[in-house]
Amino acid sequence: MQTTFTPEQLRDPVMARSNDVLRTCVHCGFCTATCPTYQVLGDELDSPRGRIYLIKDMLEKGLPADAKTVLHIDRCLSCLACMTTCPSGVHYMHLVDHAREYIEQTYKRPLFERVLRWTLARILPYPTRFRVALLGAKIGRPFAFLMPDARLKAMLAMAPKVIPPVSRNDDPQVFPAQGTRKMRVALMTGCAQRALNTDINDATIRLLTRLGCDVVIAEGQGCCGALTHHMGKTAESHATASKNIRAWTREMQGEGLDAIVINTSGCGTTVKDYGHMFAGHALSQEAAAVAAIARDVSEVLMQLDLPEGVMGHRVAYHAACSLQHGQKIKTYPKDLLKRAGFKVVEPADSHLCCGSAGTYNLMQPEISGQLKARKVETLEATRPDIIAAGNIGCMMQIGSGTDVPIVHTVELLDWATGGPRPPALDADGKRAVPVPILR
Ligand code: SF4
Ligand code: SF4
């Protein structure tokens, strides 16, 4: 694609990067076939190619973003299915991230939306604030019908019925390896996940220590910055991400780390991109070093000696977009589940997003609801005993639309190797599953 940025514009390294990305697009349109929003809305401007043209136009003109561009960029899930499909290697993620930042800096949203986004950015990345907000939402849920805005209704509807107590396992400490130590890893405990579901980190710690890892919960870590990064709020995103970089750098320079383990794939995609996010920043070297050893938990588990099992349950594996498209990890979670003895099935159109996408299900509830309905239908069609996923956002989204229990992949692997049965399998009278047999 031809671009017409001025030399002065291209002196900005972020603009120069977008120029490079734009120039790799040959506007073939292959990406439209796998774009969820194009499938739902059927509008070229809600396809990757349409958005690329809008972004090009907006950045080249250098004028404040207009309402039409903002509408179609806001509707993008950042699911990155287009990056998997694109034969030209267009790095849409960096382009849309820049577009969101540009919009945030140049476009004045309606007051209600500004307040909503400001509030989300100040609550979601902080587990204690988020926990308080969840309690408020739980109390307010019966009154959701009184809410004047679909987004407020969606926020109340998404509040879980059960809010777990704080897990002290998320406090700074080291969990020693059982038996011979094979690796020393830091576990990213996250933000929203710590308020929504403490079983996932607990299961991850048990599983990794059982398989020979020292698991470090580094002091000072928190939100990876993804939630605010995807809102274009760069200062907020850098502020929280910097804390993580400093926390893990201390550990790397101390006893050393073989990996930073991330069990929320949406966060993993962002941490792996810290090198790009912090280019030219005072922490650029540390950020790149952190990104270089950031691993999804399934990548680390593939390096360890997971025992074979004979669990036997039928597990529908939901591939989170951030894992399959963002990190290109497609087979590891399924391979691990099969090794543990689970019968793994996959839904039709497994490349399509469930509609969760960070704050998307709160900000775009209608499109998100349609994608959720499709995903639940295809998952239930596989007649699973359990649904497994590697991202808390997907688990919340899908779990709100089905009675099939949904758990994190590591909870099943922990169970299969001697850990407790995942609590979610027994909640609310959900379907019972057989007792595991280990060997
Ligand atoms: S598939 Fe790639 S090259 Fe083709 S239009 Fe989409 S982004 Fe551009
Ligand atoms: S990130 Fe997802 S929703 Fe956005 S343009 Fe690409 S495929 Fe479409």
Side-chain angles (χ1 to χ4, degrees):
M1 176 182 286
Q2 276 199 329
T3 57
T4 56
F5 290 98
T6 64
E8 196 192 338
Q9 284 178 305
L10 294 178
R11 272 199 281 279
D12 172 2
V14 183
M15 198 66 84
R17 170 67 180 143
S18 288
N19 181 48
D20 291 343
V21 176
L22 287 165
R23 281 174 170 258
T24 53
C25 177
V26 294
H27 33 91
C28 62
F30 286 177
C31 51
T32 57
T34 56
C35 174
T37 55
Y38 183 68
Q39 293 214 354
V40 169
L41 301 163
D43 182 340
E44 169 73 14
L45 293 180
D46 286 311
S47 77
R49 182 172 60 181
R51 292 188 176 112
I52 287 169
Y53 275 112
L54 288 171
I55 295 170
K56 172 186 177 303
D57 197 46
M58 173 178 77
L59 296 179
E60 277 181 346
K61 281 184 183 155
L63 298 172
D66 59 55
K68 178 174 149 193
T69 303
V70 174
L71 174 75
H72 296 291
I73 300 302
D74 280 355
R75 283 180 182 168
C76 171
L77 295 138
S78 280
C79 71
L80 309 180
C82 47
M83 282 180 63
T84 297
T85 312
C86 175
S88 229
V90 172
H91 204 303
Y92 178 83
M93 181 173 95
H94 287 171
L95 187 65
V96 80
D97 284 349
H98 181 200
R100 293 191 202 281
E101 182 186 38
Y102 187 90
I103 288 169
E104 186 67 15
Q105 289 168 354
T106 65
Y107 182 70
K108 191 159 185 190
R109 294 178 184 273
L111 179 64
F112 176 73
E113 215 170 295
R114 267 185 283 148
V115 171
L116 204 57
R117 292 166 68 88
W118 185 92
T119 308
L120 289 176
R122 269 152 195 79
I123 290 180
L124 297 186
Y126 303 94
T128 308
R129 294 181 203 173
F130 188 36
R131 194 176 278 277
V132 172
L134 287 175
L135 280 169
K138 194 177 157 187
I139 294 164
R141 192 166 34 205
F143 309 103
F145 68 95
L146 294 173
M147 290 294 143
D149 187 276
R151 288 165 292 188
L152 293 177
K153 281 194 180 92
M155 285 175 201
L156 293 182
M158 285 304 290
K161 290 190 188 107
V162 180
I163 300 165
V166 174
S167 170
R168 297 274 67 108
N169 289 336
D170 293 334
D171 293 345
Q173 59 197 298
V174 179
F175 295 91
Q178 291 177 19
T180 310
R181 185 176 96 172
K182 296 176 187 160
M183 294 175 99
R184 186 172 193 270
V185 302
L187 173 65
M188 179 179 163
T189 49
C191 54
Q193 177 168 286
R194 283 172 57 184
L196 290 166
N197 185 329
T198 53
D199 299 329
I200 299 168
N201 283 346
D202 290 355
T204 306
I205 293 164
R206 281 192 302 264
L207 183 59
L208 288 173
T209 51
R210 190 177 304 127
L211 297 179
C213 296
D214 274 0
V215 178
V216 180
I217 313 295
E219 177 133 34
Q221 64 167 319
C223 173
C224 67
L227 286 166
T228 43
H229 184 57
H230 293 145
M231 289 180 176
K233 294 182 181 296
T234 305
E236 288 94 329
S237 153
H238 272 59
T240 49
S242 298
K243 288 185 185 167
N244 284 343
I245 293 166
R246 291 198 179 92
W248 291 324
T249 300
R250 277 194 296 275
E251 290 296 334
M252 289 160 81
Q253 291 173 346
E255 280 195 55
L257 290 176
D258 296 302
I260 295 161
V261 177
I262 302 163
N263 58 19
T264 306
S265 60
C267 308
T269 306
T270 298
V271 177
K272 287 182 175 181
D273 201 42
Y274 274 179
H276 171 74
M277 277 171 67
F278 281 80
H281 186 281
L283 280 176
S284 62
Q285 283 189 356
E286 290 86 347
V290 161
I293 62 164
R295 299 282 182 275
D296 181 70
V297 63
S298 64
E299 292 178 282
V300 172
L301 291 171
M302 287 299 284
Q303 289 179 258
L304 299 167
D305 197 14
L306 188 83
E308 285 186 28
V310 285
M311 297 297 284
H313 313 86
R314 192 174 169 88
V315 175
Y317 173 68
H318 163 69
C321 296
S322 42
L323 204 51
Q324 62 169 330
H325 304 306
Q327 299 182 49
K328 308 289 180 227
I329 296 172
K330 297 185 179 172
T331 57
Y332 289 173
K334 292 181 283 183
D335 292 345
L336 290 161
L337 287 168
K338 285 178 193 162
R339 190 169 171 80
F342 293 103
K343 179 164 174 39
V344 180
V345 290
E346 286 184 86
D349 294 334
S350 60
H351 61 280
L352 283 181
C353 183
C354 66
S356 169
T359 56
Y360 193 90
N361 52 2
L362 305 178
M363 301 303 286
Q364 302 281 344
E366 279 148 34
I367 304 170
S368 168
Q370 290 187 52
L371 292 170
K372 177 170 83 174
R374 282 187 187 198
K375 185 58 73 182
V376 166
E377 191 183 330
T378 53
L379 281 165
E380 288 184 341
T382 65
R383 296 178 293 102
D385 298 316
I386 306 166
I387 298 169
N391 191 49
I392 182 71
C394 309
M395 289 169 64
M396 299 303 297
Q397 172 85 344
I398 296 167
S400 68
T402 180
D403 283 334
V404 181
I406 180 160
V407 295
H408 194 289
T409 309
V410 292
E411 293 184 81
L412 293 180
L413 299 176
D414 174 46
W415 183 27
T417 55
R421 176 185 165 93
L425 299 186
D426 296 322
D428 299 319
K430 286 179 174 173
R431 117 183 24 178
V433 288
V435 174
I437 305 161
L438 298 173
R439 74 174 179 198

